[in-house]
Amino acid sequence: MATSQAAASSKNKQHGAPPPSRARDALVFAAGVAAAVLALLGSASVLAPPGSGGIPLVAFPSPGPADDGPPTFYDDPDLSYEVDARRRITGWDAKRSAWLRSRGLRRAPERVVMVSGSQPEPCPGEAGDHLLLRFLKNKLDYCRLHGIKLLYNRDVIHPAMTGAWAKIPIVRAAMLAHPDAEWAWWVDSDAVLTDMDFSLPLAARYAGKNFVAYGWPDKIARRSWLGINAGVFLVRNCQWSLDFLDRWARMGPAYPEHDHWGQAVRDKLADKGTDAWCDDQSALVYLLLVSGDRETLAEKAFVETEYFFMAYWKDVVGKLDGVAARYDAVERRAPAAALRRRHAEREHARYAAARNAAVGEEVPGPAGGGEDGWRRPFVTHFVGCQPCSGGRNPMYSRESCDGGMRRALAFADDQVLRAYGFRHAGPLNESILPLPFDYPAAAHAR
């Protein structure tokens, strides 16, 4: 899902449906760490080439239960995984560095843990659980190909942090549970990775930054609560980020000043109408665009606008067939013959780099997609479709949401299936067909 949204009567195309209940809404943002499922997808040293986020960290065997090494922050009885203003974490950078040294590890600037999740209860919407399974598979595929850990959670550790607010406790907990990770990457359950080749430009674009989210310049200019999306974001594992998450959380329903912030965001942000509910996205926009220290925050917070770090699905779903056709056309040509060679999944990174170089010369648009051009969108986010609850925004038809999700998931899945010699029979066809040798050149010849 995107974030908790304003009233369904809003005319802005990016509004989602409002949560049906503040106490337990059907948004799929439940958070918690007690029963979280951690999928560590293979050996990072196998899945990623030198210089990538898959650099192995272990310099020598880590201590085990029988030889746990010197005390670390984990031995502090006051350590809290919860968002608790009374027990804020301080000195995290030094504590994290000390833990790494004590375990014979070194910092890997591009090591990432992806964090996502869904609600504890079964989805009330028709086929909701099936759709969430497909969204989860998509994340598993991307993480496997890029040597990324995936922490998928469906439990609540802070009951008052309901709905979309629940993402903050689990992201914070993931940072503490994974001091070896430089970045925590939150991805909403209803967001699809639609470019399996694209890697986050962590060093190239985000060096010196601690928080990254996607935004729209026109909406940012008028301080719209829709100007920055809180459904996909990167946060560096550092003290600045913990402080930022704590401040963001204190605007939420777990704190007594929540009602005050509801009035504040309604007064200061555009498009809120009469809705005085302070949702997580409005709070984020307020912090970055309106708050008194927004200029100080801007030194470390980065709003991405140059590629589809988070694309609004209505802007991209209709182009996916055309995007696929352009990529196939590049690979059919003789200079790209090497790209058609069959290869193992562990070689994905090298082929992805070669394919990006080839299409970069012939397919217009930035790598990762963008408002203009025909490059694959990196992430396609189904804001307002709410596949789990079924309570989609009334401005979207069931057919447009369901068909859009199926198209995006199949578009991504075809990129994965290719290594296994298959692809879907069509954009909305769940059957798969074997690929001829030398695909797509052979398919075109036929």
Side-chain angles (χ1 to χ4, degrees):
M1 303 302 186
T3 55
S4 298
Q5 304 287 344
S9 59
S10 172
K11 302 302 181 183
N12 191 293
K13 70 177 182 177
Q14 294 192 50
H15 280 221
S21 166
R22 301 304 187 203
R24 175 74 69 178
D25 61 29
L27 292 175
V28 290
F29 280 110
V33 74
V37 178
L38 173 63
L40 174 57
L41 306 170
S43 168
S45 61
V46 171
L47 289 171
S52 77
I55 297 176
L57 288 178
V58 180
F60 52 79
S62 297
D67 180 23
D68 209 22
T72 69
F73 66 89
Y74 287 116
D75 297 290
D76 181 356
D78 291 327
L79 175 69
S80 175
Y81 285 86
E82 299 182 62
V83 177
D84 189 339
R86 297 166 299 177
R87 292 193 289 174
R88 293 181 61 250
I89 293 177
T90 59
W92 174 242
D93 295 336
K95 292 174 181 176
R96 180 178 168 231
S97 295
W99 183 89
L100 289 170
R101 289 194 302 271
S102 72
R103 269 52 186 170
L105 308 178
R106 57 186 175 84
R107 285 184 60 183
E110 298 192 9
R111 181 169 286 270
V112 179
V113 56
M114 181 189 289
V115 189
S116 188
S118 55
Q119 67 182 40
E121 304 87 356
C123 291
E126 183 180 356
D129 291 309
H130 172 72
L131 285 169
L132 285 192
L133 177 63
R134 294 193 62 182
F135 279 107
L136 172 57
K137 178 198 178 292
N138 169 260
K139 295 173 178 65
L140 287 166
D141 284 337
Y142 182 88
C143 288
R144 183 179 69 254
L145 294 173
H146 290 264
I148 292 176
K149 298 175 183 177
L150 171 62
L151 174 61
Y152 193 90
N153 174 74
R154 53 173 301 279
D155 297 286
V156 178
I157 59 174
H158 202 312
M161 297 292 277
T162 57
W165 283 103
K167 64 164 74 79
I168 298 178
I170 186 56
V171 169
R172 183 183 182 278
M175 292 165 65
L176 302 186
H178 295 273
D180 56 313
E182 183 70 13
W183 294 91
W185 179 17
W186 173 264
V187 183
D188 274 4
S189 60
D190 61 346
V192 183
L193 283 300
T194 35
D195 188 348
M196 290 291 169
D197 288 350
F198 188 83
S199 295
L200 288 164
L202 300 174
R205 286 183 67 81
Y206 308 139
K209 300 298 182 181
N210 294 337
F211 182 85
V212 182
Y214 188 79
W216 292 264
D218 59 329
K219 295 179 176 61
I220 290 172
R222 55 190 178 88
R223 294 181 175 178
S224 167
W225 77 283
L226 299 165
I228 302 172
N229 188 273
V232 181
F233 61 82
L234 277 165
V235 60
R236 191 183 294 275
N237 198 350
C238 65
Q239 183 66 52
W240 184 98
S241 299
L242 289 175
D243 293 341
F244 180 77
L245 290 176
D246 285 345
R247 184 175 176 186
W248 188 6
R250 288 197 299 272
M251 299 175 75
Y255 293 87
E257 57 266 40
H258 178 62
D259 289 342
H260 160 75
W261 288 117
Q263 187 64 47
V265 298
R266 188 180 71 173
D267 292 344
K268 297 294 186 180
L269 302 181
D271 307 323
K272 284 294 288 183
T274 59
D275 182 15
W277 165 253
C278 184
D279 58 277
D280 67 307
Q281 181 164 291
S282 295
L284 176 65
V285 173
Y286 185 95
L287 286 174
L288 297 183
L289 301 184
V290 178
S291 67
D293 59 350
R294 61 187 179 277
E295 293 183 1
T296 301
L297 291 176
E299 294 176 2
K300 293 295 182 180
F302 187 89
V303 179
E304 183 61 74
T305 60
E306 298 301 316
Y307 70 94
F308 276 146
F309 179 72
M310 197 296 306
Y312 171 51
W313 65 277
K314 290 286 285 184
D315 291 337
V316 302
V317 165
K319 298 178 63 175
L320 292 180
D321 291 349
V323 170
R326 284 164 173 78
Y327 275 65
D328 284 352
V330 170
E331 290 198 34
R332 277 197 297 268
R333 289 188 260 281
L339 292 177
R340 303 196 296 269
R341 182 174 181 268
R342 292 180 176 177
H343 60 275
E345 266 200 352
R346 64 175 292 173
E347 299 174 321
H348 175 85
R350 291 193 295 109
Y351 280 83
R355 185 161 33 247
N356 281 327
V359 299
E361 297 177 358
E362 300 191 41
V363 180
E371 297 292 341
D372 299 317
W374 291 89
R375 299 292 292 275
R376 291 173 180 163
F378 181 40
V379 178
T380 301
H381 192 190
F382 284 86
V383 178
C385 284
Q386 304 209 31
C388 184
S389 71
R392 68 183 183 282
N393 189 304
M395 69 190 299
Y396 307 130
S397 69
R398 177 178 176 180
E399 291 73 20
S400 65
C401 278
D402 289 1
M405 287 185 283
R406 290 175 59 194
R407 281 181 177 273
L409 288 163
F411 178 84
D413 208 29
D414 277 344
Q415 298 169 47
V416 178
L417 286 172
R418 180 170 176 178
Y420 297 87
F422 296 92
R423 68 166 296 158
H424 285 86
L428 295 176
N429 192 326
E430 302 302 336
S431 301
I432 60 173
L433 301 174
L435 293 176
F437 190 81
D438 204 34
Y439 174 87
H444 185 69
R446 289 183 181 182

